[in-house]
Amino acid sequence: MSNTKIPVVPSKLIVPFILITFCFALWGFANDITNPLVAAFGRIFNQSQTVSSFTQVAFYGGYCFMAIPAALFIKKYTYKSGILLGLALYAIGGLIFIPAASTGLFWPFLLAFFILTCGLSFLETSANPYILSMGEEATSTQRLNLAQAFNPIGSITGAWVAKEFILAKMNKLSTDERAALPVEKFDAIKMADLQVVKAPYVIIGFVIAIMFVLILIKKMPKSKEADTGKGLDIKGTVNRLLSNIRYKEGVIAQAFYVGAQICVWTYTIQYGTSVFMEQGMIEADATTAAGSYTIYALIIFAISRFVCTFLLKYLTPGSLLMYLALAGIAFCIPVIFVGGTVGLYSLVAISACMSLMFPTIYGIALKGVGDDAKLGAAGLVMAIGGGALLPYLQAYIIDNFNVYVSYILPLICFVVIAIYGYRSYKKYPFKGIA
């Protein structure tokens, strides 16, 4: 029987697949409502981009910190247990925005982001391999790409909420105008803006609580790798993974991919703001207008992911990954060296190239690792820590040079990804699976 005749999702697993797939949208929402807050916190607290970038350090640091504990937890228990704990931490992190907004300080928000993303780490460590296990291995990458295709739907919603309910509702005074205010007036505006930031996170916290209940009461399938009665065998698992060159290179490629994605999307606001201010807009209006381009990028990302999921029926994952990384490099060139409207459009176009990368690298790296997938997934989630480090470095470049030059970092990331795609294509050739 050919791969094309194997169902991507068995009919008896449709409802569990839908529930877990909805979690992909939920963490997409968290990722992309948060990206614009680097710019927002810079205005609210009158601080540099480098300091504000700690928003992303805390956000993606939670992924890195909790990945191994999450993997050990789900290896000892079940994927469902990991997802439930992840949802609980996600909800708690969102609700911590209530006291954080009342303090008027930056660091409580960092704590809230960290706890929230500890939950996302549990979700991703559990949900990605769980989806891979919901059917035949021959269709595992198609299945994961299908589930991941709903992630940008959450991302688009998050970016839209950030634009319409945070950026658009903040006080219109520019950073320089705020800095010139008396302390009492500055603090009053700051506290009002923090209430604006708080509201969406509190609402999503309650939505996550509802999702927790739905998954809790639904009987979920046991994965093929789960509940086999095996011990944790951490040493053996680590040794097997470290001897798997495809897996090791996959972790490196994933770190650079996430770094590229977060750099591209986090600073689209700053890039667009610079472009529109050069055209005569005031800072507040330029920032809101730039938020629209983040949404455009995410829409293109979502469409491209569905297209690439279809193409995986006919192309090897490694080859498509390589071609898209090369296209990403090409689009980075006008972003860096041309700027203006052309650079901004090219920046948006990069998202089409990124759409396939995360799930395909994930699928290639975990192919054939069996029960080691639980701890192996943790390594790939820890690679999300790349998203914590590179935005900080990009912010430093922005503060000391300009936002255009800073996009040299995503270009370097795409070079690494292209190399992994090439090596996967040449060393691990297979069609329709990874």
Side-chain angles (χ1 to χ4, degrees):
M1 182 181 293
S2 67
N3 287 343
T4 57
K5 295 182 181 179
I6 300 173
V8 176
V9 182
S11 58
K12 64 181 180 180
L13 298 180
I14 292 294
V15 173
F17 178 83
I18 290 172
L19 287 173
I20 302 306
T21 296
F22 190 67
C23 292
F24 286 69
L26 290 174
W27 75 63
F29 180 92
N31 289 331
D32 287 282
I33 191 177
T34 301
N35 287 335
L37 291 189
V38 175
F41 281 137
R43 284 175 58 201
I44 292 171
F45 292 103
N46 192 28
Q47 58 195 18
S48 70
Q49 290 299 309
T50 303
V51 174
S52 295
S53 71
F54 276 97
T55 299
Q56 300 292 50
V57 173
F59 192 94
Y60 291 96
Y63 273 108
C64 188
F65 176 81
M66 193 55 70
I68 293 296
L72 296 178
F73 180 87
I74 65 172
K75 191 169 177 69
K76 183 174 181 179
Y77 298 102
T78 63
Y79 287 132
K80 177 178 178 177
S81 298
I83 287 168
L84 289 173
L85 183 53
L87 289 170
L89 290 171
Y90 186 167
I92 291 169
L95 295 176
I96 287 176
F97 271 67
I98 297 174
S102 299
T103 66
L105 301 173
F106 183 45
W107 71 262
F109 289 95
L110 302 183
L111 176 63
F113 285 128
F114 183 81
I115 293 173
L116 188 153
T117 51
C118 283
L120 299 189
S121 186
F122 267 94
L123 283 180
E124 295 211 34
T125 303
S126 304
N128 283 295
Y130 200 11
I131 289 292
L132 287 174
S133 74
M134 288 185 179
E136 297 296 326
E137 186 178 39
T139 56
S140 60
T141 295
Q142 288 175 254
R143 189 162 48 254
L144 183 57
N145 271 279
L146 178 59
Q148 284 275 359
F150 290 87
N151 175 263
I153 295 175
S155 296
I156 292 167
T157 305
W160 178 78
V161 169
K163 175 180 179 289
E164 297 296 330
F165 295 97
I166 296 179
L167 298 178
K169 292 183 179 298
M170 286 173 53
N171 189 283
K172 297 292 185 180
L173 290 180
S174 69
T175 303
D176 292 339
E177 290 170 333
R178 289 169 184 247
L181 293 173
V183 173
E184 296 79 7
K185 182 66 173 176
F186 176 86
D187 285 342
I189 292 174
K190 177 182 70 175
M191 296 304 292
D193 282 346
L194 290 179
Q195 294 300 314
V196 171
V197 171
K198 174 190 77 174
Y201 284 89
V202 174
I203 293 171
I204 194 62
F206 285 111
V207 171
I208 297 301
I210 294 171
M211 191 66 188
F212 176 93
V213 174
L214 291 176
I215 293 179
L216 177 66
I217 63 177
K218 173 64 181 176
K219 184 177 180 180
M220 304 294 285
K222 294 181 180 179
S223 72
K224 294 178 181 179
E225 296 85 9
D227 305 314
T228 57
K230 296 180 182 179
L232 292 180
D233 187 24
I234 297 173
K235 182 178 179 181
T237 298
V238 171
N239 287 338
R240 287 189 293 273
L241 291 173
L242 290 178
S243 65
N244 185 331
I245 188 169
R246 180 174 64 234
Y247 174 77
K248 289 190 294 184
E249 292 179 357
V251 171
I252 294 170
Q254 199 72 290
F256 279 92
Y257 164 69
V258 175
Q261 175 189 292
I262 303 309
C263 285
V264 167
W265 288 346
T266 297
Y267 297 107
T268 295
I269 294 285
Q270 285 83 342
Y271 196 101
T273 298
S274 294
V275 170
F276 293 129
M277 288 182 69
E278 289 171 0
Q279 296 174 359
M281 284 191 185
I282 65 170
E283 182 180 0
D285 290 342
T287 300
T288 302
S292 297
Y293 283 81
T294 300
I295 297 173
Y296 301 153
L298 292 170
I299 292 172
I300 289 173
F301 182 89
I303 294 170
S304 179
R305 181 162 278 181
F306 281 104
V307 172
C308 290
T309 299
F310 173 77
L311 291 177
L312 277 175
K313 293 181 179 181
Y314 308 103
L315 299 173
T316 62
S319 64
L320 193 53
L321 180 66
M322 177 184 67
Y323 294 137
L324 291 178
L326 291 173
I329 293 169
F331 282 123
C332 281
I333 293 173
V335 171
I336 299 167
F337 297 106
V338 178
T341 303
V342 172
L344 184 57
Y345 289 167
S346 298
L347 181 55
V348 171
I350 291 174
S351 291
C353 307
M354 297 192 299
S355 65
L356 172 86
M357 292 178 179
F358 184 92
T360 301
I361 294 171
Y362 197 102
I364 292 171
L366 288 184
K367 181 181 184 296
V369 302
D371 193 47
D372 292 341
K374 291 181 178 178
L375 198 57
L380 289 162
V381 172
M382 283 187 70
I384 294 175
L389 300 176
L390 289 178
Y392 177 81
L393 181 57
Q394 188 173 10
Y396 179 84
I397 295 173
I398 293 171
D399 283 337
N400 290 276
F401 297 95
N402 60 61
V403 69
Y404 305 115
V405 174
S406 74
Y407 276 89
I408 190 69
L409 292 180
L411 187 151
I412 294 170
C413 293
F414 289 132
V415 170
V416 175
I417 297 163
I419 292 171
Y420 183 65
Y422 175 79
R423 286 176 60 79
S424 300
Y425 173 55
K426 292 296 184 181
K427 295 187 68 174
Y428 329 121
F430 39 80
K431 281 193 176 182
I433 60 174

